[in-house]
């Protein structure tokens, strides 16, 4: 189990659950549909503040049953998480494919496992290092593929001096922009790089008006930005409707 803050269940999982629910009619139009979790975790989370246990993103996607995903592809680097996923998803049979390893080096296999219908990819790393834009570029060649990306702005702020060092390649790899440092303005490094990331997504055809960012906050500080990207206007409209209110019922974010 991974211990997370309340925000993970309330915000990240809340938006994911709402988006999966709201896209059920769109999924029904296709004979097949897929959910891919590039950084899947063990399938369960424990909320630190309350000690309660909730489904992680893989089980949350599998639990949706009004327009179920015909294929759920999960990848994690840690053997212990892969073992937990195998155990926890066994009852879903061959709808589930679990890969052990670095999702960046296994992306071509992941693409081959996707059904030809509507696909949703969750990109949810702990920090910036495992986020490789090249992986998203390869995935973006699949037709009808939406992305929800956890872009770790707090990592960028915390490790700014490390990332700004010209020998460090983590940010360039995440954004797909080798000259990202030259493009930085005087503003906040995290927001400027997140905006370069959104521009890179636009270069892949993710030009929708809602390819923008929701700040996920805890106690007044920002943890990360949740970025949604779809090439289809319907995806944008649905994301707008699910973010009109936050998962806890508060008024959501104006784009
Ligand atoms: C934030 S957790 C995932 C949480 C999960 N998406 C959820 O919401 O329940 C990130 C996971 O990425 C895994 N990970 C780290 N680097 C990875 C890589 N290169 N490829 C695949 N998994 C990786 C870690 O083992 C960890 O379980």
């Amino acid at each position: 189990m991974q211990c997370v803050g309340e925000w993970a269940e309330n915000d990240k999982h809340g938006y994911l659950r709402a988006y999966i629910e709201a896209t059920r009619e769109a999924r029904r139009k296709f004979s097949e549909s897929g959910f891919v979790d590039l950084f899947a975790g063990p399938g369960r989370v424990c909320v630190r503040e309350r000690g309660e246990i909730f489904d992680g993103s893989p089980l949350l996607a599998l639990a949706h049953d009004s327009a179920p995903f015909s294929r759920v592809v999960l990848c994690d680097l840690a053997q212990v998480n892969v073992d937990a996923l195998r155990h926890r998803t066994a009852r879903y049979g061959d709808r589930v494919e679990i890969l052990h390893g670095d999702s960046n080096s296994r992306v071509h296999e992941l693409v081959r496992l996707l059904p030809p219908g509507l696909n949703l990819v969750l990109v949810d790393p702990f920090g910036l290092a495992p986020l490789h834009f090249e992986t998203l570029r390869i995935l973006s060649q699949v037709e009808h593929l939406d992305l929800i990306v956890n872009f770790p702005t707090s990592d960028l702020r915390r490790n700014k001096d490390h990332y700004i060092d010209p020998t460090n390649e983590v940010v360039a790899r995440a954004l797909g922009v080798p000259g990202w440092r030259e493009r930085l303005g005087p503003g906040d490094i995290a927001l400027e790089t997140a905006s370069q990331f959104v521009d890179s997504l636009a270069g892949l055809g993710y030009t929708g008006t809602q390819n923008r960012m929701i700040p996920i906050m805890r106690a007044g500080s920002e943890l990360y930005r949740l970025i949604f990207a779809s090439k289809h206007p319907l995806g944008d409209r649905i994301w707008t409707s699910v973010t009109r209110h936050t998962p806890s019922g508060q008024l959501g974010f104006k784009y």
Side-chain angles (χ1 to χ4, degrees), residues 1 3 9 49 54 62 85 112 168-169 189 223 229 238 249:
M1 207 147 1
C3 280
E9 170 54 20
E49 294 86 345
F54 293 94
L62 280 161
L85 286 172
R112 281 196 293 276
N168 188 298
E169 291 177 358
I189 183 172
L223 294 168
I238 294 176

Side-chain angles (χ1 to χ4, degrees), residues 29-116:
K29 295 200 178 96
F30 293 84
S31 53
E32 293 185 76
S33 60
F35 174 76
V36 182
D37 210 333
L38 293 185
F39 305 95
R44 285 267 154 81
V45 294
C46 166
V47 171
R48 223 175 273 126
E49 294 86 345
R50 294 181 272 149
E52 282 178 76
I53 292 167
F54 293 94
D55 284 347
S57 47
L59 291 189
L60 189 154
L62 280 161
H64 174 83
D65 59 3
S66 66
F69 293 102
S70 50
R71 172 60 58 91
V72 170
V73 183
L74 310 172
C75 185
D76 202 279
L77 192 59
Q79 182 69 56
V80 65
N81 290 343
V82 168
D83 291 344
L85 286 172
R86 293 218 162 98
H87 178 71
R88 289 173 173 152
T89 62
R91 68 196 169 101
Y92 296 101
D94 55 15
R95 277 172 66 199
V96 185
E97 287 280 350
I98 300 172
L99 302 185
H100 175 211
D102 174 7
S103 53
N104 297 298
S105 42
R106 302 199 69 175
V107 62
H108 290 288
E109 275 170 89
L110 285 162
V111 165
R112 281 196 293 276
L113 290 168
L114 292 184

Side-chain angles (χ1 to χ4, degrees), residues 6 48 52 134 248 251:
E6 243 165 343
R48 223 175 273 126
E52 282 178 76
E134 176 61 10
S248 55
L251 193 61

Side-chain angles (χ1 to χ4, degrees), residues 22-30 118 234 238:
T23 43
R24 63 190 182 283
E25 292 307 327
R27 259 192 316 284
R28 283 195 189 117
K29 295 200 178 96
F30 293 84
L118 184 60
L234 180 62
I238 294 176

Side-chain angles (χ1 to χ4, degrees), residues 184-202:
L184 283 182
D188 172 13
I189 183 172
L191 295 192
E192 296 219 3
T193 49
S195 137
Q196 288 193 34
F197 180 73
V198 169
D199 289 347
S200 293
L201 288 174

